[in-house]
Amino acid sequence: MAVHDTESGGNGFEPKILVFACNWCSYAGADLAGVSRLQMPANCRVIRVMCSARVRPEFVITALSKGLDGVLVLGCHPGDCHYSEGNYFTRRRGLLLQKLLQYVGIEPERFQVRWISASEGAKFAETIGQVTDQIKALGPNRSQNGMQPAEPGDS
Amino acid sequence: MSNRSVVVVGGGIAGIQASIDLANMGLQVYLVEQSPSIGGRMAQLDKTFPTNDCSMCILAPKMIECAGHENVHLLTYSELAGIDGEAGDFRVTVRRKPRYVDVSKCTGCGECAEKCPRRVPDEFNVGLDKRKAIYLPFPQAVPRKMTIDAGACLYLSKGRCRVCQETCQAGAIDFEQQEEVVELAAGAIVLATGFDPFDPRSLKEYGYGEIENVITGLEYERLICASGPTGGHLERPSDGQVPEIIAFIQCVGSRDVNYQPYCSSVCCMHATKEAILANEHYPDLKSVIFYTDMRAVGKQFQEYIIRAKEEYGVSYLRSRPGKITVNGETGNPLVWYDETVYSEAGDPERRVASMEVNLVVLCQALVPHSVHEEMASKLGLELDGSGFVAVEDRLLRPVDTSVPGIFACGFCQEPQDIPDSVVQASAAAARVAEILSLASKELEHA
Amino acid sequence: MPKTRVGVFICHCGNNIGGVVRVPDVVEYARTLPNVVHAEDNLYTCSEEGLSSIKDKVEQQGLNRVVVASCTPRTHEPLFRGACEEAGLNRYLFEFVNIREHCSWVHMHDPVMATEKAKELVRMGVAKACHLEPQEDFESDVFPAALVIGGGVAGMTAALCLANQGIQVYLVEREQELGGLIRGVQTLFPTEQNTEELLHPLIEQVKNHPQITVYAGTVVEKTSGFIGDFDVAVRANGEASNLKVGTIIVATGAEELKPGGLYRYSELPNVVTQLEFEERFKAGADLPRSVAIINCVGARIPQRTYCGRFCCTTAIKNAIWLKEQDPETSVYVLHRDVMAYGVAIEEFYRRAMELGVRFVRYDVESPPQILGDARAEAIKVQHQLMGKEVVLPADLVVLTTPLVARDDNEELSRMLKVPLGSEGFFLEAHLKLRPIEFSTDGVYVCGAARYPCNIPESVSQAYAAAAKASIPIREGMVRVEAITAVCDERRCSACGNCVEVCPFGAVELQEGRFGKAAHVNPAQCKGCGCCVASCPSGAMQQRGFNDRQLLSMIGALAEETTSGGA
């Protein structure tokens, strides 16, 4: 079942997008997309966390400062967090972080927070397709020149 | 196996919960389930009231916990064949149907199903679409092992094909597999066999089976489900159009001396949920629920109804329609009903009215899926007049059957929803532990 | 420190991965990664062969980290962790990379990109694996006793069930007598037996059971601790005692709503509640000639939206009782829906109608009115189904009110650190699948304390609570997966963010070696990582998901950007 055209090649820019997916909902939704063979662009790389609230702003900033083109944080729908409140923290952090990133000149599409439940395989595929398209249209992330990234082990 | 083993019959949410609790208590659990996967009816639901949780999302972790527990032994695609003995010393005969797949080799990768040429109606999707002869009942099936439906398989019925065998790189296809009859020794038995939907075909006045756009509650559930046959698009049977107005009819076959005299308990909430989902998917869609009493008795249930009315525009019309006819040109069903409640105070007339809708959903009665009558009578297991497993001391022993050592939980003994079934499942586990009189010391070494 | 020696196992999964991803290329690539000393491919890594290969290579090659790139950790992580453990490697030195559900299956038309992606995912997995540390699951002892708060039917049932399994139970009851709410009820549904017949043997069993210690006339004053180790202070007649228990069951019940200003209840002597009816009339007073029972009094209204669940049952029960005492008595039940759910109650409802009980449906917008001066004499009501106002004779008016939450629920909820719902009843961990548990481990709830319920439901819940409460006691310990948070006291500034943020109350500030610092109770920690992300100094870390590990994955990903595809 093709959801998104995935041909690469040519001189088209292919963004590299980091995705944080929570174990209970969004990672399971991603698995379901896989089981359902929903096709999507191959630009995203998933890091599994137990809860989206694990994602600290420094991860997002590090990723962007190292040249990754976008960061997507996925969690359970508000109200459905496996740990009751985690995704509320994610939501609040996300809003603040958005403002900060825009302030330093990073386009808002490069950092997004979305909610995907374990049964929303199609929504996962759609989200990946949409976000990839958005970031592709922005072009490569050139912000690393102005940012000081944290080295692993610094914090 | 000693009397520290328990056989749980039925792998729906009640059977799964009972198994997990019993296993956590240190008992060995044999969970017998007739379909190829555990999960039961809850796996077929899209969302669950009143939280509107995605059903599979909350069920799947329980399924994995159950199957992964070192004390739980799944016997799926298996049926209860007989019970002998008594509390503390039962002998349970289980007939394991051949899957024609070696489960020790099968990784559930699904390549065989991709290549299988044979399609038959998919029972998980209530016949709304097709599955292959070699199949997984649904994507999150546990155990994740393929099963060959012998009746559908070209090789097993006609001696041709075998594409699955050629395709399988693990060499897991085994057409020589035989039915296996296993005898399990158990100290106690827990029945959790759930329910089946009542077929409303016999209610000729509603036209189910004749009028295309009259469907059942379970069919609707599969249509609205994102992982169902239409990907969650509510396509009505006659022309695939999204309905603008849906009529839900309650108590189809329930509270009816001609069919099931009892109240199936969950359908009022179920219809409300379905109406809410319809409106969530299609904000312009109107739903009308034809009811007699709106039985929303559980926690947060009344609030759910209020939300349905205020946020989702669901209408509730007190009436049990007498008939459904069809507008031949449009395929639209016409629901004929008596007004039982006067539309206005002082209005002297109560009319017979008709409402033209695009789709009718019959909220059918739910019928207990019990132990076979012969087995029950041989055992002395009493069933009540409607087929529910009888409970003698309803007040103080609400999960005890008429046979000491055999307990029943969930819908097979009383119409009830998921939380009540889960409670009864744990209650059955507690009763098992009690009658096996196990001291904690003994179980340290279990 | 021993050099890090990583083994990488890439799965073909038949054709599922191998048919899209060029597995041999990924294996070759893996060999070039830092610290990787072994890389191989398997047809099915999860098969007997694959697992044996992992075990063999761990032993032969002295691997101290294992990375498997195959399907999804959500199903197979325990399997591979188990294989590592069998080979003598700590199970938490294993990392899973998903190149099937997240790669080969979703990029079927782009094998080139899929292969590149698989390589990068493996690179990320190896980077994390290098930073993994051996971990042990946390185990904490469980004190072999249980506390049941509340000596009604639910509390007594739970206590007996636990005691019959050989578990020591402390049953604390506020009143001097056991029995709870149903002591005020004369006859029960559906058996129609006298309550005494049911209660008396139950109470005797509880009092005489060697494993149950009853504390009557006693209240809980203070609780502290966590699952396996609760300290409970109780007081009876000025005397204090301390109890130590492993698990706690809340069975404190509820109260009948006294309907205050509704239906002239406080004003007229012959307008009573159901419990008052039980007390006065079923115990032998003269019976009235006509009775009107009004349902949904103070329930299903804006101020109190919930349904009392079994009050229709009670109304039907008492309506039938009245007819059985004297078939000539006129009995009306005024209702807004008859909640006769299930088998027995529906049957009961039908029987009531057969006996001549008249059910009158009214609308919440037009509630019945009580007529009469010094006494109620009749009821005027808009009969919804007849469409007109009717006047019904009523020598007695019985108001069916719902159960409401007890006033002391708030205090108890604070003591036990468990929440109350909007109606004031205790709020369970999950409405559907965990109806008698709390998010706080080791505490359970049953009966009307959770929500109005009839006796069979209350008793089922009590058994269920007993099942849950017995499990940690049977096991003797609580085991927690090694993904809990840990605070490095040297870096902690005791800002308290983590304490605030933890959904489970698992973090506390304590005096430590370096002054005040956050301390995580592993017995309560669920491994979500909320506290870690809120820690400004990085003192708080999550085992298996710490900053160093996750940042290394980000760094590994960012290393070689493959812009433009192949």
Side-chain angles (χ1 to χ4, degrees):
Chain A
M1 230 200 290
V3 171
H4 190 97
D5 220 358
T6 57
E7 287 206 2
S8 67
N11 294 321
F13 155 65
E14 288 296 345
K16 187 78 59 72
I17 301 167
L18 176 62
V19 179
F20 288 97
C22 73
N23 183 65
W24 304 96
C25 282
S26 40
Y27 193 99
D31 279 351
L32 181 58
V35 162
S36 315
R37 311 293 201 277
L38 301 176
Q39 302 303 298
M40 57 193 94
N43 304 75
C44 293
R45 312 282 182 265
V46 172
I47 291 183
R48 177 177 161 235
V49 288
M50 294 311 287
C51 180
S52 60
R54 174 68 189 89
V55 179
R56 39 181 350 145
E58 290 90 317
F59 294 165
V60 179
I61 294 175
T62 302
L64 293 171
S65 75
K66 281 184 184 286
L68 293 175
D69 300 299
V71 180
L72 179 59
V73 175
L74 303 175
C76 305
H77 288 264
D80 294 345
C81 179
H82 184 81
Y83 304 99
S84 351
E85 295 161 29
N87 55 2
Y88 296 139
F89 300 133
T90 308
R91 182 162 63 177
R92 290 172 219 165
R93 270 192 210 118
L95 289 169
L96 281 175
L97 189 53
Q98 262 293 350
K99 289 198 194 299
L100 173 65
L101 290 174
Q102 283 181 58
Y103 185 72
V104 297
I106 295 180
E107 302 93 325
E109 291 85 350
R110 292 197 191 275
F111 166 65
Q112 299 190 38
V113 174
R114 301 278 192 104
W115 314 119
I116 298 187
S117 85
S119 69
E120 290 179 313
K123 188 169 179 208
F124 177 82
E126 209 181 286
T127 303
I128 297 297
Q130 214 178 59
V131 171
T132 305
D133 281 346
Q134 285 170 349
I135 296 181
K136 221 180 217 181
L138 294 176
N141 168 27
R142 307 217 184 279
S143 65
Q144 62 266 39
N145 300 326
M147 301 221 281
Q148 292 300 314
E151 290 305 313
D154 265 5
S155 68
Chain B
M1 292 184 266
S2 67
N3 65 9
R4 293 217 301 251
S5 301
V6 185
V7 171
V8 176
V9 185
I13 185 60
I16 289 170
Q17 183 62 58
S19 301
I20 292 175
D21 285 333
L22 290 164
N24 281 336
M25 288 171 175
L27 298 166
Q28 296 301 310
V29 180
Y30 296 92
L31 177 49
V32 179
E33 164 56 43
Q34 66 177 21
S35 89
S37 168
I38 57 175
R41 295 289 171 199
M42 200 175 160
Q44 289 179 294
L45 301 177
D46 179 27
K47 301 250 163 75
T48 57
F49 57 75
T51 50
N52 279 1
D53 278 308
C54 142
S55 188
M56 186 53 80
C57 305
I58 57 175
L59 176 63
K62 287 265 178 182
M63 286 165 62
I64 293 175
E65 190 189 343
C66 178
H69 203 297
E70 58 181 351
N71 292 344
V72 175
H73 313 280
L74 289 186
L75 285 83
T76 53
Y77 212 50
S78 304
E79 282 171 356
L80 182 65
I83 302 177
D84 279 306
E86 53 180 23
D89 187 19
F90 285 110
R91 287 172 304 286
V92 181
T93 317
V94 175
R95 181 170 45 243
R96 309 206 61 182
K97 300 182 283 192
R99 299 171 110 104
Y100 304 102
V101 169
D102 182 346
V103 299
S104 67
K105 295 187 180 148
C106 174
T107 60
C109 73
E111 286 188 66
C112 50
E114 297 276 305
K115 298 285 194 299
C116 174
R118 184 90 165 93
R119 294 175 175 284
V120 289
D122 182 354
E123 51 279 272
F124 184 78
N125 281 328
V126 216
L128 291 173
D129 71 350
K130 301 224 169 24
R131 60 154 171 84
K132 299 296 183 72
I134 185 166
Y135 69 110
L136 266 186
F138 50 93
Q140 304 88 341
V142 171
R144 197 184 170 72
K145 305 288 177 191
M146 310 305 287
T147 302
I148 298 182
D149 171 1
C153 172
L154 287 175
Y155 179 72
L156 289 169
S157 52
K158 297 183 183 151
R160 326 195 290 264
C161 187
R162 294 229 225 190
V163 169
C164 53
Q165 198 167 42
E166 286 158 27
T167 311
C168 179
Q169 296 198 38
I173 308 292
D174 177 11
F175 287 113
E176 309 305 308
Q177 220 178 65
Q178 299 291 322
E179 179 185 276
E180 208 191 320
V181 176
V182 193
E183 202 179 81
L184 304 167
I189 299 172
V190 175
L191 301 174
T193 48
F195 65 87
D196 290 313
F198 167 73
D199 186 339
R201 226 166 291 258
S202 28
L203 279 87
K204 299 256 181 274
E205 60 270 28
Y206 286 154
Y208 177 72
E210 307 261 326
I211 304 176
E212 266 191 288
N213 293 321
V214 173
I215 64 175
T216 64
L218 199 49
E219 286 169 344
Y220 176 94
E221 189 79 29
R222 292 315 299 151
L223 286 175
I224 203 88
C225 185
S227 55
T230 57
H233 296 293
L234 193 53
E235 298 169 3
R236 68 174 196 168
S238 66
D239 53 11
Q241 293 295 313
V242 173
E244 284 168 24
I245 172 162
I246 304 179
F248 291 89
I249 313 228
Q250 301 309 105
C251 308
V252 175
S254 295
R255 301 185 70 187
D256 191 334
V257 292
N258 302 309
Y259 301 101
Q260 326 301 332
Y262 57 85
C263 162
S264 298
S265 204
V266 301
C267 336
C268 285
M269 288 299 289
H270 180 68
T272 300
K273 176 195 72 179
E274 298 192 318
I276 288 178
L277 291 179
N279 194 258
E280 268 185 351
H281 284 229
Y282 307 102
D284 292 328
L285 197 159
K286 295 256 168 295
S287 294
V288 181
I289 300 182
F290 289 84
Y291 75 102
T292 305
D293 289 289
M294 208 56 206
R295 292 184 170 168
V297 299
K299 199 162 175 176
Q300 294 295 311
F301 284 13
Q302 283 296 321
E303 291 79 1
Y304 195 66
I305 307 274
I306 292 170
R307 276 180 64 200
K309 288 179 183 166
E310 291 176 1
E311 286 174 40
Y312 297 96
V314 179
S315 311
Y316 290 85
L317 205 159
R318 191 183 181 282
S319 182
R320 191 189 289 208
K323 194 161 81 159
I324 298 176
T325 59
V326 65
N327 177 333
E329 283 166 24
T330 57
N332 286 342
L334 271 96
V335 179
W336 296 88
Y337 63 100
D338 290 312
E339 290 182 333
T340 62
V341 172
Y342 286 81
S343 5
E344 284 158 35
D347 185 341
E349 276 192 54
R350 272 197 310 193
R351 296 162 202 84
V352 170
S354 76
M355 185 186 291
E356 182 161 339
V357 299
N358 306 115
L359 181 69
V360 173
V361 180
L362 301 178
C363 291
Q364 77 249 77
L366 303 174
V367 174
H369 185 102
S370 269
V371 168
H372 290 292
E373 275 185 49
E374 301 147 46
M375 197 188 311
S377 76
K378 191 171 158 241
L379 203 48
L381 180 77
E382 277 172 36
L383 307 177
D384 77 0
S386 303
F388 291 97
V389 179
V391 170
E392 293 191 333
D393 183 358
R394 223 349 125 181
L395 291 177
L396 291 182
R397 294 266 190 276
V399 295
D400 284 39
T401 68
S402 55
V403 180
I406 302 187
F407 304 96
C409 58
F411 211 103
C412 69
Q413 61 120 294
E414 170 77 19
Q416 56 194 294
D417 63 6
I418 293 167
D420 291 339
S421 301
V422 165
V423 163
Q424 280 203 344
S426 297
R431 284 292 295 139
V432 168
E434 230 188 325
I435 65 146
L436 296 185
S437 294
L438 295 164
S440 356
K441 233 190 285 177
E442 225 179 290
L443 283 178
E444 244 172 335
H445 308 289
Chain C
M1 262 195 63
K3 192 168 180 316
T4 310
R5 296 175 65 80
V6 182
V8 181
F9 300 80
I10 320 268
C11 187
H12 283 260
C13 192
N15 266 337
N16 283 299
I17 296 174
V20 176
V21 170
R22 289 204 43 98
V23 172
D25 286 1
V26 182
V27 173
E28 217 182 283
Y29 178 72
R31 289 194 181 115
T32 67
L33 296 171
N35 299 310
V36 172
V37 300
H38 174 81
E40 71 180 50
D41 59 338
N42 318 106
L43 188 58
Y44 292 104
T45 314
C46 60
S47 65
E48 278 307 310
E49 272 179 68
L51 296 174
S52 300
S53 185
I54 294 177
K55 287 184 258 191
D56 289 341
K57 302 305 189 298
V58 166
E59 282 164 31
Q60 292 159 14
Q61 308 251 1
L63 302 177
N64 52 27
R65 300 289 186 283
V66 169
V67 174
V68 169
S70 62
C71 49
T72 175
R74 284 170 46 87
T75 51
H76 282 64
E77 188 167 62
L79 182 67
F80 293 123
R81 277 186 178 166
C84 291
E85 202 165 46
E86 281 173 41
L89 184 66
N90 182 286
R91 57 195 285 123
Y92 292 102
L93 293 174
F94 164 77
E95 182 65 18
F96 209 117
V97 177
N98 185 330
I99 57 170
R100 189 182 72 173
E101 279 85 337
H102 291 189
C103 192
S104 68
W105 271 349
V106 293
H107 309 312
M108 281 159 47
H109 309 304
D110 202 339
V112 172
M113 288 274 267
T115 305
E116 284 311 300
K117 178 168 166 173
K119 288 182 188 171
E120 290 192 332
L121 289 171
V122 168
R123 185 170 77 226
M124 288 162 73
V126 169
K128 184 179 177 197
C130 292
H131 290 284
L132 289 173
E133 287 152 18
Q135 303 288 357
E136 295 301 324
D137 287 341
F138 175 77
E139 286 177 8
S140 94
D141 287 334
V142 174
F143 197 81
L147 170 70
V148 177
I149 309 177
V153 176
M156 288 195 285
T157 302
L160 278 171
C161 181
L162 287 166
N164 284 338
Q165 296 176 56
I167 296 173
Q168 176 66 40
V169 182
Y170 304 116
L171 178 58
V172 171
E173 165 55 48
R174 172 182 288 273
E175 305 294 326
Q176 289 300 331
E177 301 296 323
L178 295 173
L181 189 66
I182 65 164
R183 274 187 307 148
V185 177
Q186 290 292 319
T187 62
L188 304 172
F189 161 85
T191 53
E192 294 176 85
Q193 67 191 129
N194 280 325
T195 309
E196 256 308 285
E197 266 174 55
L198 180 132
L199 260 190
H200 184 76
L202 193 60
I203 294 176
E204 288 306 300
Q205 273 183 66
V206 168
K207 283 185 173 162
N208 297 329
H209 203 297
Q211 295 292 115
I212 302 180
T213 309
V214 178
Y215 290 82
T218 306
V219 291
V220 173
E221 282 204 321
K222 188 166 179 286
T223 68
S224 62
F226 53 93
I227 181 175
D229 194 358
F230 289 107
D231 285 301
V232 183
V234 300
R235 181 176 296 278
N237 307 319
E239 249 190 67
S241 310
N242 282 312
L243 305 171
K244 195 181 248 319
V245 294
T247 52
I248 300 177
I249 296 180
V250 174
T252 48
E255 287 170 345
E256 186 193 48
L257 172 71
K258 301 296 180 211
L262 296 171
Y263 301 109
R264 305 171 70 187
Y265 168 71
S266 343
E267 196 196 311
L268 302 176
N270 59 342
V271 175
V272 300
T273 66
Q274 288 285 356
L275 270 185
E276 287 161 358
F277 172 80
E278 296 272 345
E279 203 184 344
R280 281 194 226 171
F281 294 93
K282 286 166 92 166
D286 284 337
L287 295 177
R289 307 269 23 201
S290 57
V291 183
I293 300 174
I294 307 181
N295 287 357
C296 293
V297 174
R300 302 177 70 201
I301 54 176
Q303 307 89 301
R304 192 175 295 104
T305 47
Y306 64 89
C307 162
R309 191 177 179 102
F310 67 90
C311 4
C312 277
T313 309
T314 303
I316 295 171
K317 176 190 80 173
N318 286 338
I320 290 178
W321 184 85
L322 281 165
K323 280 296 197 184
E324 281 174 342
Q325 304 309 306
D326 182 1
E328 299 300 306
T329 313
S330 121
V331 182
Y332 286 92
V333 175
L334 283 69
H335 70 92
R336 285 168 46 199
D337 280 298
V338 178
M339 306 299 199
Y341 58 96
V343 181
I345 314 176
E346 180 74 46
E347 207 179 292
F348 222 42
Y349 175 31
R350 197 171 299 115
R351 174 142 162 254
M353 289 192 276
E354 281 163 10
L355 287 174
V357 175
R358 312 285 270 279
F359 287 84
V360 176
R361 192 184 172 92
Y362 74 90
D363 191 278
V364 65
E365 305 290 317
S366 329
Q369 285 177 295
I370 313 292
L371 305 176
D373 293 316
R375 292 178 54 79
E377 282 160 20
I379 298 208
K380 188 160 69 168
V381 65
Q382 177 72 16
H383 193 309
Q384 241 191 345
L385 305 189
M386 285 176 73
K388 61 182 190 186
E389 222 170 46
V390 295
V391 175
L392 311 170
D395 286 340
L396 174 69
V397 176
V398 184
L399 303 179
T400 312
T401 57
L403 290 185
V404 291
R406 295 178 56 93
D407 288 330
D408 46 27
N409 278 5
E410 267 196 57
E411 203 191 325
L412 191 57
S413 85
R414 264 196 303 273
M415 267 195 256
L416 294 170
K417 300 204 202 105
V418 293
L420 297 179
S422 52
E423 329 89 340
F425 297 105
F426 286 95
L427 182 62
E428 59 264 58
H430 190 272
L431 266 181
K432 295 302 279 190
L433 293 189
R434 302 182 67 202
I436 51 105
E437 297 170 83
F438 287 110
S439 288
T440 307
D441 283 338
V443 188
Y444 314 95
V445 63
C446 59
R450 175 199 159 264
Y451 190 73
C453 51
N454 61 26
I455 295 174
E457 290 159 355
S458 203
V459 169
S460 290
Q461 290 171 25
Y463 276 119
K468 302 292 192 203
S470 74
I471 289 167
I473 293 175
R474 283 174 178 287
E475 294 204 7
M477 63 145 149
V478 168
R479 179 182 282 119
V480 181
E481 195 188 347
I483 53 168
T484 55
V486 179
C487 179
D488 180 351
E489 295 180 37
R490 289 166 301 175
R491 294 176 160 206
C492 175
S493 63
C495 71
N497 276 357
C498 50
V499 178
E500 292 272 330
V501 146
C502 177
F504 304 99
V507 192
E508 271 179 359
L509 293 179
Q510 286 179 3
E511 280 302 325
R513 281 193 298 149
F514 304 96
K516 211 167 194 181
H519 177 258
V520 179
N521 183 349
Q524 292 169 291
C525 175
K526 300 284 180 223
C528 61
C530 288
C531 57
V532 183
S534 72
C535 177
S537 65
M540 189 69 83
Q541 291 296 332
Q542 180 178 9
R543 297 190 286 165
F545 294 92
N546 71 28
D547 284 345
R548 185 182 296 243
Q549 289 155 1
L550 298 176
L551 283 167
S552 75
M553 293 178 90
I554 299 174
L557 177 58
E559 258 170 44
E560 298 153 30
T561 25
T562 57
S563 45

